[in-house]
C-alpha cells in the first residue's frame, strides 16, 4: 500500500493572554490508502487540533508553527485558499462530534447535502438532489427524497450523524476524518454508526482517521492506533499489538482504568494519578513523568523521541519512553489523589 | 464491596409504582399541550449497603427516577419509602431531616458548584444548614471532608474555577458527605470526566462506601462502569424498568431482549474479540416519551416481538430469585 497522507513534525499553538498554549508539539504520522487510523487520548491532548490543522480549519488564535502535511505529495500547509477549498470536502471529508451544531438549522437537508456536490463535482442542482437522496438511503435513512425537504431538527441525533456521514462521503474523498463521531450518541446508536462507517469504508476504500477518547471503540474499527498525550504522540502501533503489548506507561494506565464487561469485578481499577500537564507551561522533558509509576531520573531531564520498541511483534510499533516497562516492577499503580 | 444483598435484609429505599409525567407545550408556538411519560409504574428497592446500578439510554427516565425518588420532583403517583418512612407527600419541614440522610451527586461538576463560593463554603453550607457543626468545628470538619476525598485541606479557600473536572467532582462528593448521609444518588457522576479520572472517582466512591457504609443508587449509561461498581443492576427503557437482577445474572444471562441488545452494542476493548463478535445491532431509535408505543414500549424495535406485545403491557415479575423482568417472550 502507498502512503496517502504524510504528516511531518506538525506544531500548532494558540495565542492566549499570557503566552502560548502548545497544543500540538511535533506530531508525525503516515496514513496509507484504505487504512483506518485511530487517534486516542484524553481531552486536551491535541488530537482534534492535530486533525483540524491538517485542513487548516483552526480558529484565529491558533497558528501552525512548523511541519508538513503531504496529501499524495502536495503540502496542504503551503497551498492557497482556492486549492484548499478543493481539498476540504473534496479529498478530505470530515465528521464532527456534535451533529446538532454542524448542520445549519435554517437550511433544509437537501440544500446542505447538495452544496458540496455542486461545488466539487459540478453537478446541477437537480442532479445533486437526486444523488443526495441516494446517499441518504445508502446511510440507512429510508424515503430519502422526502427527507431532503426536512430540516435538521426533524432528525434525531443518530440520524443527523448519518446525514453528516452521507455528506462527508458524497464527493468520494480519499480521507475521512471522524472527530469523536459517536461521543454524543447513545450506545445502541453508537454501534449503528460504527457499523455504518465500517461498511462504507469497506465498500469505497476510503482511508479513515477516527479520533476518540474511547479505547473500546478503537478495538472494533482501527487498523492502527496513535495514542496522544500533551500534544505528543506517545505510542503508535497496529491495533492488536497496542492492546496486547502496550509499551508506554500512559497507554498501560488508560487500559487499566477501563472497567470491563467480562471477568472479575471485585478488583480495583488502576488509576493514573494526578491530571494532565498545563499546556501553557510544558516541560522540555517527558510530559508524563509526574504521573508515571515507572519514571526514572532521565525522564526529568530529556524528552524521549518516538522510537521503535524492543522485541516488537510489528515494525510499526513505536513508543516515546526511556524505560522498557516490561523490565520494571511497579510497586504502586500510580494510584493517588490529584492533590 | 458490600455483601448485604441477601434478600432478607430490610431495604433502605423502597419505590412502589412510581410515576412521573411532565406537562409540556409542543409545536412551533407551544400551542399544543402534551405529556412526557418520563417514569411509569417503576418499582424497585435498594438494600442497605448495596449499590444498585440504573442503566439506560438518554431519555429513558433514569435521572428522573433518581430525582423523583429524592422528592426533588414531586411524583405524579406512586410511593417512595426511606427507612420505612413514606416520603412522598411529606411536608418540606418534615422532609428536611430526611434530606440530610439522602444526598445526590450530579453529572456536571461545573454547573453544580457556585462560581462565587469558595469550595470550603460550599462544603460547609450543609453543615450549617443541618446544624451538624458550629464555630471552629466547621473548619475542622471541612478539612476532614477534603482529606476524605483526596484533596488538600488548604484548598478550602479556593474557588471552583481553580480546579479540574475531577477535582470538582471530588468537591461535590465532599459536599454530599458533609451531611453524613446513608444514601447517595450518584447521577452519572463520571460521564463528564476523562477515562483516567473516571477510574479515580470510581475508586474513591467505593472506598467511601466501605468507610461510611453508604448505600448508592448509581445512575449511568456506561454498562462496563455499572458492572464494575454495582451489586445489582436495573435496566430502564423509555420510562419503565425492563429488567433487574444481581449483576452476575444480568450480565451473564440477560433475559430481556433490550438488555441483550444493549450488551451487544457495547464495544469491548479487545481487537481480536471485536472482529469475531456478532454485530447485529439494534435497529431504529428510541421513540418519543410523549407518545410511547402501546403495550411493551420496546416492541417496535424488538426482534422477539409477537402477538401480545403491541397491546398488552408485560407484567413485572420475578422469574427466578432476585431476577425480575418485564417481557412476554421470557
Amino acid at each position: 500500500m502507498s502512503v496517502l497522507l504524510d504528516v511531518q513534525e506538525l506544531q500548532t499553538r494558540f495565542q492566549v493572554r499570557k503566552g502560548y498554549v502548545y497544543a500540538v508539539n511535533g506530531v508525525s504520522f503516515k496514513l496509507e490508502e484504505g487504512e483506518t487510523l485511530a487517534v486516542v487520548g484524553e481531552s486536551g491532548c491535541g488530537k482534534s487540533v492535530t486533525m483540524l490543522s491538517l485542513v487548516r480549519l483552526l480558529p484565529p488564535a491558533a497558528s501552525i508553527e512548523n511541519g508538513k502535511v503531504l496529501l499524495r505529495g502536495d503540502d496542504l500547509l503551503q497551498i492557497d485558499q482556492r486549492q484548499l477549498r478543493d481539498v476540504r470536502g473534496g479529498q478530505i471529508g470530515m465528521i464532527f462530534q456534535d451533529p446538532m451544531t454542524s448542520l445549519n438549522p435554517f437550511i433544509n437537508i437537501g440544500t446542505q447535502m447538495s452544496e458540496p456536490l455542486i461545488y466539487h463535482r459540478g453537478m446541477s442542482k437537480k442532479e445533486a438532489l437526486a444523488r443526495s437522496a441516494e446517499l441518504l438511503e445508502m446511510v440507512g435513512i429510508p424515503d430519502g427524497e422526502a427527507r431532503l425537504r426536512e430540516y435538521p431538527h426533524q432528525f434525531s441525533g443518530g440520524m443527523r450523524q448519518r446525514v453528516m456521514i452521507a455528506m462527508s462521503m458524497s464527493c468520494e474523498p480519499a480521507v475521512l476524518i471522524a472527530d469523536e463521531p459517536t461521543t454524543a450518541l447513545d450506545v445502541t446508536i453508537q454501534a449503528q454508526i460504527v457499523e455504518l462507517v465500517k461498511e462504507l469504508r469497506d465498500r469505497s476504500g476510503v482511508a479513515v482517521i477516527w479520533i476518540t477518547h474511547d479505547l473500546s471503540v478503537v478495538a472494533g474499527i482501527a487498523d492502527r492506533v496513535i495514542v496522544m498525550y500533551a500534544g505528543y504522540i506517545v505510542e503508535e502501533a497496529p491495533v492488536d499489538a497496542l492492546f496486547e503489548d502496550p509499551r508506554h506507561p500512559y497507554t498501560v494506565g488508560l487500559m487499566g482504568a477501563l472497567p470491563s464487561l467480562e471477568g472479575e469485578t471485585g478488583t480495583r481499577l488502576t488509576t493514573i494519578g494526578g491530571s494532565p500537564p498545563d499546556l501553557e507551561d510544558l516541560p522540555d522533558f517527558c510530559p508524563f513523568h509526574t504521573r508515571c509509576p515507572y519514571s526514572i531520573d532521565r525522564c526529568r531531564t530529556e524528552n524521549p523521541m518516538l522510537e521503535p520498541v524492543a522485541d516488537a511483534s510489528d515494525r510499526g510499533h513505536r513508543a516515546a519512553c526511556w524505560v522498557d516497562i516490561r523490565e520494571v516492577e511497579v510497586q504502586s499503580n500510580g494510584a493517588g489523589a490529584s492533590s | 464491596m458490600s455483601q448485604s444483598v441477601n434478600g432478607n435484609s430490610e431495604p433502605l429505599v423502597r419505590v412502589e409504582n412510581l410515576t412521573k409525567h411532565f406537562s409540556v407545550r409542543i409545536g412551533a408556538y407551544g400551542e399544543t399541550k402534551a405529556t412526557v411519560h418520563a417514569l411509569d409504574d417503576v418499582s424497585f428497592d435498594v438494600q442497605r449497603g448495596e449499590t444498585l446500578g440504573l442503566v439506560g439510554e438518554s431519555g429513558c427516565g433514569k435521572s428522573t427516577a433518581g430525582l423523583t425518588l429524592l422528592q426533588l420532583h414531586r411524583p405524579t403517583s406512586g410511593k417512595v419509602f426511606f427507612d420505612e418512612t413514606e416520603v412522598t407527600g411529606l411536608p418540606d419541614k418534615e422532609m428536611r431531616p430526611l434530606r440530610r440522610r439522602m444526598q445526590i451527586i450530579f453529572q456536571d461538576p461545573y454547573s453544580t458548584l457556585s462560581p462565587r463560593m469558595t469550595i470550603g463554603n460550599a462544603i460547609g453550607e450543609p453543615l450549617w444548614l443541618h446544624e451538624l457543626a458550629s464555630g471552629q468545628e466547621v473548619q475542622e470538619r471541612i478539612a476532614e471532608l477534603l482529606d476524605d476525598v483526596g484533596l488538600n485541606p488548604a484548598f478550602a479557600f479556593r474557588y471552583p474555577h481553580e480546579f479540574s473536572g475531577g477535582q470538582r467532582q471530588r468537591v461535590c462528593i465532599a459536599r454530599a458527605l458533609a451531611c453524613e448521609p446513608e444514601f447517595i444518588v450518584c447521577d452519572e457522576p463520571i460521564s463528564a470526566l476523562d477515562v483516567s479520572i473516571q477510574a479515580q472517582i470510581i475508586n474513591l466512591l467505593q472506598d467511601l462506601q466501605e468507610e461510611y457504609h453508604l448505600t448508592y443508587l448509581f445512575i449511568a449509561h456506561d454498562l462496563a462502569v455499572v458492572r464494575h461498581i454495582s451489586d445489582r443492576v436495573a435496566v430502564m427503557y423509555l420510562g419503565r424498568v425492563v429488567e433487574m437482577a444481581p449483576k452476575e445474572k444480568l450480565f451473564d444471562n440477560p433475559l430481556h431482549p433490550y438488555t441483550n441488545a444493549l450488551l451487544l452494542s457495547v464495544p469491548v476493548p479487545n481487537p481480536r474479540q471485536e472482529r469475531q463478535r456478532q454485530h447485529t445491532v439494534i435497529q431504529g431509535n428510541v421513540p418519543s416519551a410523549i407518545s410511547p408505543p402501546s403495550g411493551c414500549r420496546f416492541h417496535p424495535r424488538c426482534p422477539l416481538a409477537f402477538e401480545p406485545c403491541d397491546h398488552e403491557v408485560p407484567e413485572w415479575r420475578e422469574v427466578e430469585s432476585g431476577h425480575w423482568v418485564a417481557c412476554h417472550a421470557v
Side-chain angles (χ1 to χ4, degrees), chain B residues 12-296:
Chain B
L12 179 64
V13 178
R14 199 165 85 237
V15 175
E16 283 178 8
N17 309 99
L18 198 63
T19 300
K20 177 69 194 176
H21 292 171
F22 294 98
S23 296
V24 291
R25 293 186 157 272
I26 54 173
Y29 302 99
E31 72 279 16
T32 320
K33 274 190 183 170
T35 306
V36 177
H37 300 254
L39 202 62
D40 254 323
D41 206 12
V42 165
S43 303
F44 60 83
D45 52 24
V46 191
Q47 305 289 328
R48 223 174 257 280
E50 81 165 339
T51 300
L52 176 70
L54 196 55
V55 277
E57 296 178 272
S58 42
C60 74
K62 53 191 193 303
S63 289
T64 307
L67 294 171
T68 313
L69 188 153
L70 293 175
Q71 303 299 299
L72 294 172
H73 284 320
R74 293 280 173 208
T76 308
S77 67
K79 289 175 180 169
V80 178
F81 296 88
F82 180 76
D83 201 11
E84 297 303 304
T85 312
E86 189 182 339
V87 295
T88 26
L90 219 56
D92 286 349
K93 211 175 158 191
E94 289 171 52
M95 190 62 207
R96 188 170 278 184
L98 284 173
R99 286 216 189 280
R100 183 189 67 74
R101 299 167 62 192
M102 41 213 288
Q103 288 294 313
I104 184 163
I105 303 164
F106 294 99
Q107 172 172 357
D108 182 3
Y110 292 84
S111 57
T112 51
L113 288 170
S114 165
R116 294 169 179 240
M117 215 175 189
T118 63
I119 63 156
N121 282 341
I123 297 170
E125 200 173 33
L127 294 172
W128 160 79
L129 191 72
H130 290 292
E131 296 167 9
L132 294 168
S134 58
Q136 190 53 40
E137 275 167 43
V138 176
Q139 292 311 321
E140 284 165 19
R141 185 80 183 108
I142 291 169
E144 217 175 277
L145 286 161
L146 283 171
D147 188 53
D148 268 351
V149 296
L151 291 173
N152 186 340
F155 289 176
F157 301 101
R158 297 200 185 172
Y159 287 88
H161 74 265
E162 299 174 69
F163 295 93
S164 68
Q167 287 174 320
R168 283 181 219 211
Q169 201 56 291
R170 287 173 192 269
V171 173
C172 294
I173 294 172
R175 183 175 59 180
L177 284 178
C179 309
E180 299 161 39
E182 291 151 60
F183 176 62
I184 302 182
V185 173
C186 307
D187 189 0
E188 304 247 15
I190 57 163
S191 314
L193 308 174
D194 271 319
V195 185
S196 70
I197 310 296
Q198 282 189 357
Q200 292 175 7
I201 299 295
I202 292 172
N203 285 348
L204 175 66
L205 286 170
Q206 287 187 319
D207 292 344
L208 292 170
Q209 179 170 44
E210 205 160 298
E211 197 176 342
Y212 296 109
H213 311 291
L214 297 167
T215 304
Y216 290 145
L217 177 69
F218 193 91
I219 301 171
H221 65 272
D222 185 331
L223 285 147
V225 168
V226 165
R227 178 176 183 268
H228 180 82
I229 202 167
S230 311
D231 299 301
R232 286 189 306 142
V233 177
V235 181
M236 284 190 75
Y237 184 77
L238 210 55
R240 290 220 165 96
V241 179
V242 296
E243 186 167 4
M244 181 167 76
K247 72 168 164 203
E248 295 80 13
K249 279 189 187 167
L250 191 100
F251 283 91
D252 298 342
N253 180 27
L255 294 178
H256 198 283
Y258 177 63
T259 314
N260 202 23
L262 209 53
L263 286 174
L264 284 177
S265 305
V266 180
V268 291
N270 179 334
R272 288 183 204 277
Q273 221 173 317
E274 269 290 330
R275 279 193 287 268
Q276 285 160 11
R277 252 173 121 212
Q278 162 201 4
H279 280 288
T280 45
V281 293
I282 179 175
Q283 295 303 315
N285 293 294
V286 182
S288 160
I290 289 180
S291 49
S294 58
C296 171

Side-chain angles (χ1 to χ4, degrees), chain A residues 42-43 186 188-189 192 195 216 219 240 243-244 259-263 265 267-269 271-272 274 291 337-339, chain B residues 57-58 150 167 194 196 199-200 203 207 224 227-228 247 266-273 275 279 281-282 284-285:
Chain A
E42 296 180 272
S43 35
D186 276 316
T188 58
I189 310 296
Q192 292 173 2
E195 282 307 303
S216 317
D240 289 349
F243 280 85
E244 283 158 21
S260 148
L261 274 178
E262 288 172 346
T265 55
T267 52
R268 266 176 85 81
L269 297 174
T271 61
I272 305 173
R291 306 175 75 189
S338 55
S339 55
Chain B
E57 296 178 272
S58 42
Q167 287 174 320
D194 271 319
S196 70
Q200 292 175 7
N203 285 348
D207 292 344
R227 178 176 183 268
H228 180 82
K247 72 168 164 203
V266 180
V268 291
N270 179 334
R272 288 183 204 277
Q273 221 173 317
R275 279 193 287 268
H279 280 288
V281 293
I282 179 175
N285 293 294

Side-chain angles (χ1 to χ4, degrees), chain A residues 12-25 44 230-232 276-284 287:
Chain A
T12 303
R13 66 182 188 190
F14 288 79
Q15 179 141 38
V16 290
R17 208 169 19 149
K18 277 180 269 173
Y20 294 100
V21 169
Y22 296 91
V24 181
N25 304 306
Y232 295 95
D278 182 359
L279 294 178
E280 277 184 58
D281 187 21
L282 274 180
D284 49 11

Side-chain angles (χ1 to χ4, degrees), chain A residues 179-198:
Chain A
D179 189 356
E180 304 246 13
T182 61
T183 307
L185 306 175
D186 276 316
V187 61
T188 58
I189 310 296
Q190 166 172 299
Q192 292 173 2
I193 297 293
V194 170
E195 282 307 303
L196 173 66
V197 172
K198 278 203 241 179

Side-chain angles (χ1 to χ4, degrees), chain A residues 40-109:
Chain A
V40 196
E42 296 180 272
S43 35
C45 74
K47 53 191 192 300
S48 292
V49 177
T50 303
M51 297 312 146
L52 292 174
S53 302
L54 301 187
V55 280
R56 288 155 63 187
L57 276 175
L58 294 163
S63 58
I64 298 170
E65 290 301 304
N66 189 17
K68 282 183 178 156
V69 177
L70 304 173
L71 179 69
R72 291 182 171 134
D74 299 328
D75 190 348
L76 301 187
L77 302 184
Q78 302 302 330
I79 60 178
D80 63 34
Q81 287 292 332
R82 255 184 70 104
Q83 293 168 300
L84 193 58
R85 220 179 301 158
D86 290 333
V87 170
R88 295 173 182 160
Q91 296 177 59
I92 299 183
M94 296 197 79
I95 319 169
F96 299 98
Q97 174 172 347
D98 185 357
M100 188 69 227
T101 52
S102 36
L103 289 167
N104 187 331
F106 292 106
I107 302 175
N108 68 39
I109 295 293

